[in-house]
Amino acid sequence: MTYPKSLLRQAIENDIANKKYNPMNDILFKFIFGKEERKHVTIDFLNAVLDRHGAKAIKDIQFQNSEIVPLYEDDKLTRLDIFCVTEDGTQIDVEIQIVDKKNMERRTLYYWSQMYLMNLAKGGKYQNLKPSITINILRYTIFPGEPAHSMYSIYNKETGRRLNEDMELHFLEVPKFQKKPVSEMTSVERWLAYFSNKLDLKEMEELAMNEAAIQTALDAAAVFMQNKKERLDYLNREMAILDYESDKDAWIAEGRVESLLDSVRSLMHKKGWSSDEAMDVLSITPEERAIISARL
């Protein structure tokens, strides 16, 4: 169903007024996770996703220019959401993906390869290459049957031995998050809970009490919304996302009608049935019947 833009806008405004913000809005995400003054929030998130604790925990990061200059003039310019380098030289790209464009697996490989190649200066030695990591936060599901957080690398198909630790491709499929008591959540599950927007106000307060970095993220969002320009940019991005989703639903519905129309015509031709008989066999809804009948 397509809703008037005025209603969509009002719904977003109401959410903002009720302090219900979408942390997966990439404009808000970059404000929270891409600023030097809040890099401890990003570090906490990275350590949770990468399972780095104790001596192995990331202690510091440096944000880098998110535009990766192509090797050749005709190559595509790569613009990452958040690009940072840890104290040991590991490069990390964090991406927010709202819309499933059916290309995420190859897209993240491309981003990873771009980062990895940047490690090797002209005349450099291969042993000086540093690990590169991509982290993809998705508002849709691409790996049915896999857990909400999955990591891909290069392994021997027969023995399972990992080639090396230079490649990590992480996927956080946010819709797969299942609510549970905050006390029972792992570090990465707490961040999934934050991105999911599935928690009520009381649950979110408990989450923030147990994860200081999430409290900082929530506070930063409130500051963000006080800036008129930032707020407007956020609202416009939310409108664009909702418009796309609405159009997508309409495309899907239209595709179903076209498919049913072809089936009805086929049955009428092959079986000699009336349109009503064909639609009865296909269990077509009254709404779809009216549309199909008008097109026969």
Side-chain angles (χ1 to χ4, degrees):
M1 180 177 182
T2 303
Y3 295 95
K5 288 190 176 183
S6 59
L7 292 181
L8 294 177
R9 188 181 186 91
Q10 186 59 54
I12 298 169
E13 290 279 14
N14 289 342
D15 281 343
I16 293 174
N18 292 322
K19 298 182 178 180
K20 185 178 181 182
Y21 314 130
N22 177 13
M24 294 193 68
N25 180 301
D26 61 331
I27 295 173
L28 177 58
F29 176 80
K30 291 174 187 178
F31 178 84
I32 295 172
F33 291 89
K35 301 289 186 180
E36 183 69 23
E37 62 266 27
R38 281 185 296 278
K39 68 179 180 181
H40 65 283
V41 175
T42 310
I43 291 171
D44 186 282
F45 169 73
L46 295 177
N47 281 326
V49 174
L50 304 179
D51 195 24
R52 305 278 182 89
H53 306 289
K56 293 184 177 180
I58 296 170
K59 303 296 191 300
D60 193 21
I61 58 173
Q62 296 297 320
F63 291 112
Q64 303 292 312
N65 184 349
S66 62
E67 291 186 351
I68 296 180
V69 179
L71 293 176
Y72 303 103
E73 187 175 345
D74 293 336
D75 283 356
K76 181 180 178 182
L77 177 69
T78 299
R79 182 175 287 105
L80 310 178
D81 283 347
I82 291 179
F83 179 32
C84 61
V85 179
T86 69
E87 66 269 26
D88 67 358
T90 298
Q91 298 183 120
I92 304 176
D93 162 40
V94 184
E95 295 289 316
I96 285 282
Q97 289 296 320
I98 302 297
V99 175
D100 184 5
K101 295 183 178 179
K102 310 298 182 184
N103 64 5
M104 199 62 230
E105 297 98 318
R106 287 189 170 89
R107 182 173 179 171
T108 198
L109 272 172
Y110 179 77
Y111 286 178
W112 175 86
S113 65
Q114 291 275 76
M115 289 192 296
Y116 198 58
L117 286 171
M118 286 175 59
N119 276 311
L120 193 64
K122 187 174 182 180
K125 298 180 179 179
Y126 292 117
Q127 58 263 37
N128 293 332
L129 284 166
K130 297 292 185 180
S132 293
I133 298 170
T134 65
I135 299 174
N136 305 288
I137 309 170
L138 311 178
R139 204 179 74 169
Y140 53 87
T141 298
I142 59 173
F143 304 129
E146 295 289 320
H149 173 215
S150 55
M151 189 277 283
Y152 291 79
S153 188
I154 300 176
Y155 294 85
N156 184 300
K157 191 169 82 169
E158 300 298 328
T159 67
R161 180 185 177 277
R162 189 175 180 182
L163 180 65
N164 57 38
E165 296 185 0
D166 282 11
M167 171 189 277
E168 288 189 28
L169 312 177
H170 291 260
F171 297 86
L172 299 180
E173 297 174 83
V174 176
K176 290 181 178 179
F177 169 74
Q178 297 295 319
K179 287 177 66 172
K180 63 167 70 173
V182 173
S183 60
E184 297 178 10
M185 293 182 190
T186 63
S187 296
V188 71
E189 284 176 335
R190 289 174 182 173
W191 280 109
L192 280 166
Y194 164 76
F195 285 113
S196 74
N197 258 354
K198 291 181 179 179
L199 304 189
D200 60 30
L201 184 59
K202 184 177 179 180
E203 291 168 328
M204 187 59 77
E205 288 175 351
E206 184 182 356
L207 183 67
M209 286 178 62
N210 282 270
E211 197 73 56
I214 290 179
Q215 180 64 67
T216 302
L218 295 173
D219 293 340
V223 171
F224 174 92
M225 291 300 172
Q226 292 173 9
N227 182 296
K228 289 184 179 179
K229 181 181 182 306
E230 301 278 20
R231 178 187 175 118
L232 180 61
D233 288 345
Y234 169 93
L235 192 150
N236 287 336
R237 183 57 56 88
E238 288 294 287
M239 286 288 294
I241 293 169
L242 290 175
D243 279 349
Y244 178 89
E245 294 293 343
S246 179
D247 288 344
K248 184 183 72 173
D249 290 342
W251 298 335
I252 292 172
E254 177 62 21
R256 173 174 164 77
V257 167
E258 288 295 330
S259 177
L260 289 173
L261 183 58
D262 288 343
S263 297
V264 169
R265 284 173 173 159
S266 177
L267 288 174
M268 291 173 67
H269 175 71
K270 292 179 179 179
K271 301 287 187 179
W273 292 347
S274 68
S275 60
D276 285 337
E277 289 173 327
M279 287 189 279
D280 285 341
V281 169
L282 294 170
S283 300
I284 295 176
T285 67
E287 293 81 3
E288 291 167 338
R289 279 174 177 262
I291 298 171
I292 292 170
S293 295
R295 297 187 184 183
L296 285 172

